[in-house]
Amino acid sequence: MLDKTYTPAALEERQYDEWERAGAFASDVASNRAPYTIMMPPPNVTGSLHMGHALTMTLQDVLIRHQRRLGRDALWQPGTDHAGIATQMVVERNLAADGIGRLDLGRPAFVEKVWEWKAESGGRIVDQLRRLGCSPDWPRARFTMDEGLSHAVRRVFVELYRQGLIYRDKRLVNWDPKLHTAISDLEVEPRPVDGKLWHLRYPLADDPRTTLTVATTRPETMLGDTAVAVHPDDPRYAALIGRHVRLPIVDRLIPIVADDYADPEQGSGAVKITPAHDFNDFEVGRRHGLAMINIFDRDARVLVDRFEVHGGDAEAPDRAVPEGFGGLDRYAARTKVVAAFEAAGLLEKIDPHAHTVPHGDRSGVAIEPWLTDQWYCNAAVLAAPAIRAVEEGRTRFVPKTWEKTYFDWMRNIQPWCISRQLWWGHQIPAWYAPGGEVFVAETQAEALAAAEAALGPEVTLRRDEDVLDTWFSSALWPFSTLGWPDETPALTRYYPGDVLVTGFDIIFFWVARMMMMGLHFMGDVPFATVYIHALVRDAQGQKMSKAKGNVIDPLDLVDQYGADALRMTLVSMAAQGRDINISPDRVAGYRNFATKLWNAARYCQMNDCRPVHGFDPASVTAPVNRWIVGEAAALRGTVDQALDGYRFNEAAGGIYQFAWATFCDWYLEFTKPLLADADAGLVAETRATTAWVLDRILELLNPIMPYLTETLWASMGDGEDRGRLIDAVRPTLPDGLGDPAAAAEMDWVVRLVSTIRTVRAEMNVPPSAALTLLVRDGGPETRRRLDAHGPLITRLARLEAIAETAAVPGGAAQAVLDEATLILPLADVIDLARERERLGREIAKVEAEIAKIEAKLANPNFRAKAPDTVVAEQQTRRDGYADIRDRLAAALARVEG
RNA sequence: GGGCGCGUAGCUCAGCGGGAGAGCACUACGUUGACAUCGUAGGGGUCACUGGUUCAAUCCCAGUCGCGCCCACCA
């Protein structure tokens, strides 16, 4: 017997362990059932469960559990991501607390520390996923740095290198001066800054009293200027093109060049060009063969002694660092440059200037465009098939609008900088000979062999110290986790996956790159569908952030209301294309839903409603039972279709509505008189039907609320072992369970009971008072129904008797139901004025409706152009309302007469 | 600058060419043996605004206003 109260915490932990021990989450590579695959986006090992995880994981778990119970061999592939920068930062911070620096340890010892940390605390998020009820195939869990995945990474790197799709290049990167690494464009976030615009005067070389004004937000970079650009069509500067200015402070001659990049509308129309410290200037420099002068070290401090000069076919500029600048931080250098211009009378003005400045998303410091050697991946080549695959529908996005985002980015994709100056990650499999020759190979031995073949024996190789961008290994996740490059049975069976579920924020980081790598190495898309879900926000729609203090911890909600309630909340709110505002009140509401279902199951137990072996829902005869069986069958169709279309909220809403309103509020109330009936056959049928319908609810709700439904499923067996719901393949239902006649009949009963209840409430009839219902003008069908459902109606409407009448006693309340008039004699309690008023209101409502419809019907165009069915439907509605109006009017006349 | 999305009941949101819906909140009544984490009934909306298409617009189109997000740029 179930406990009197539903306490989720008690049952959830026990239930999960039981599932896991029983291997209920396992895929079966040897199965002959059709596979269904979802690749879990591997959370960072440093991560802890937040609302975004809770949503994405719940949705995936719902799909997996749903498909599992449809009989598919479901693989939900779990794992964690090594998260290069994030993890390195966490471990560095821990070490710093003990006063140990990364450099003190040295690379091997540091990496060892990271592995230790991972072993101790890296599994936290995995346990949190268990609490949420997630059912991935845990024994298959992978880590992006484990040996198999590392092998895949090396193989991919080497192959892409040999194909010329990975190469080394010296160009500007987004340099993080705090973390001392390059980061990709995607890891840069623009932040609004209240800056200044300094207008600096550069004297002409051949006429020092004439100056050319340039405006800049970064005066310190003038130390590395190698030109001034003006627009070729700008008449103000036409005469200056080809001449030179003498750069103050460094005393360097630099040319005035004509370039479209200079915008006559901006600033003075003349722009300083610093190719080594600005992405646009870098391009201008290339076009004009300008030298690139790097003025900063890796901390973004001015170099000591000499600047580094690269390229350029102009005469070699002076590379000496001006007196007093060496070693200055970029902001100190800025102050000093401005002071020097001011002292020389070359500072024209300073304007306040609000703009955005790129910052590192991890470090939070301003990014420095910096000239370095890095490894790049030719993303444009890899993107072409990935674009085609989506164009051709081999992978589709749901909702479809995200395809545009994908296309826009893919069609403008930039070379992907894949090297990072970190210690934690996949070290790049490239070795350098003393002469600078590069040997890329999967192992040092192979690299050495290649080097010796090329350079002769006794070569000493030095391995590239950089590691790969974390997303490089993530990009391989859909096949590396299945054993690639080996042709494992799992790889053949589970690739490509069915659906990838993720948030829009990583379409670029991850989805696009999995598409590229999957197509290139597997020759097929990694997944058929990409379902993009919304962001989770707080109750007011604010993005959750630690700074705002509005972060809701999903585990707190689990503690308070249970994992099932949280899951149901998220699924119910997961409408496509809209963010989810979550509030604890909402979760409490779904906890109440769980309680409701719990109590419904208790009711079933108390009334011996047990599942009956061999029960055939098509065989039931009582209209009540035929009706609920049909409704339950229809619900299954609704839920299946909703989930097929990733309309999670519709699936959840449909079950909620059916379970609470249809099943609990109406059907279970109907069963109360039925179960007390003298007809033993009817009692048995009703018990069996009730149990059967509850089973269907549990079955459909199981993917969303696995704990509750599993527990109730077991309890309904009443001691008998029914097996676990999690792996009970759903039984097929007989066709044609819907019975329109029974549905119409029960709908009539519902309307009758509701009508009487409303009248009672409006006439202030005490709930305890049992009334007599008189029915006037009832047709044969009405009479039959009244007779057939007398006990139901009497109980639910709180009547003591039902009778037919032709006359209407004085002091009665009246209402209209179809062709019949319902009369409730209230002799001693009736307030005639109140009844008149009530009927008047009813009539007014109906007349308003009639007026609307008649206006429509009076329109000749409507009759001429609207489909006949629509016209007929409106006429029927009008006639129906008119009948009701007439009967209400007659009722009113009787009250007044 | 380019793109995407959203303005529907007090709040949070579904719906989406022919009858305005849910949950929460609110009001009244209620311990009828599943459930007060509940039941019954009720109040509450010119579906942002303006035009257009249509026999018919909350729904389609255009524009306006407001809000949010993404991308690019910002000397």
Side-chain angles (χ1 to χ4, degrees), chain A residues 381-391 394-395 406-407 410 511-512 514-517 519 525:
Chain A
V381 169
L382 294 173
I387 292 168
R388 229 168 17 248
V390 174
E391 283 170 344
R394 281 178 285 139
T395 291
Y406 172 85
F407 285 138
M410 286 294 245
V511 179
M514 283 190 288
M515 288 292 289
M516 295 192 274
M517 293 299 192
L519 282 159
V525 295

Side-chain angles (χ1 to χ4, degrees), chain A residues 36-41 49-68 74-76 129 132-136 398-399 498-504 530-536 563-580 582 642-653 701-706:
Chain A
Y36 180 85
T37 311
I38 297 181
M39 288 288 156
M40 176 190 287
L49 194 79
H50 56 61
M51 270 302 171
H53 290 126
L55 173 67
T56 199
M57 297 302 183
T58 297
L59 297 181
Q60 290 172 55
D61 196 43
V62 167
L63 293 173
I64 279 287
R65 287 173 179 271
H66 178 64
Q67 293 294 334
R68 194 142 57 203
L75 167 61
W76 188 14
L129 291 177
L132 191 62
C134 294
S135 65
V398 177
D498 290 87
V499 58
L500 180 84
V501 177
T502 189
F504 60 82
V530 179
Y531 175 71
I532 301 288
H533 63 245
L535 226 61
V536 185
D564 279 334
L566 174 61
R567 292 168 60 108
M568 183 69 177
T569 308
L570 292 168
V571 174
S572 297
M573 300 187 75
Q576 284 182 13
R578 189 157 188 157
D579 287 345
I580 293 175
I582 197 163
L643 288 181
D644 279 350
Y646 303 96
R647 296 185 305 273
F648 292 94
N649 58 317
E650 276 183 29
L701 187 58
N702 172 261
I704 307 176
M705 305 183 91

Side-chain angles (χ1 to χ4, degrees), chain A residues 190-194 355-357:
Chain A
R191 293 190 188 172
V193 167
D194 284 328
H355 60 139
T356 58
V357 174

Side-chain angles (χ1 to χ4, degrees), chain A residues 229-307:
Chain A
V230 297
H231 195 275
D233 303 332
D234 192 336
R236 293 172 296 177
Y237 301 117
L240 295 179
I241 296 169
R243 291 167 67 183
H244 289 73
V245 293
R246 180 170 299 279
L247 201 56
I249 304 178
V250 291
D251 196 27
R252 179 191 305 144
L253 281 184
I254 58 174
I256 299 165
V257 301
D259 196 285
D260 287 346
Y261 167 66
D263 178 356
E265 307 292 319
Q266 289 266 2
S268 63
V271 56
K272 62 192 271 312
I273 300 297
T274 324
H277 294 287
D278 181 282
F279 289 98
N280 287 308
D281 293 6
F282 181 80
E283 296 302 325
V284 175
R286 281 204 163 166
R287 285 198 284 274
H288 296 274
L290 300 175
M292 296 176 284
I293 301 180
N294 175 34
I295 62 167
F296 289 132
D297 67 9
R298 61 181 209 146
D299 291 310
R301 282 192 298 249
V302 180
L303 288 164
V304 181
D305 194 25
R306 302 187 82 75
F307 293 138

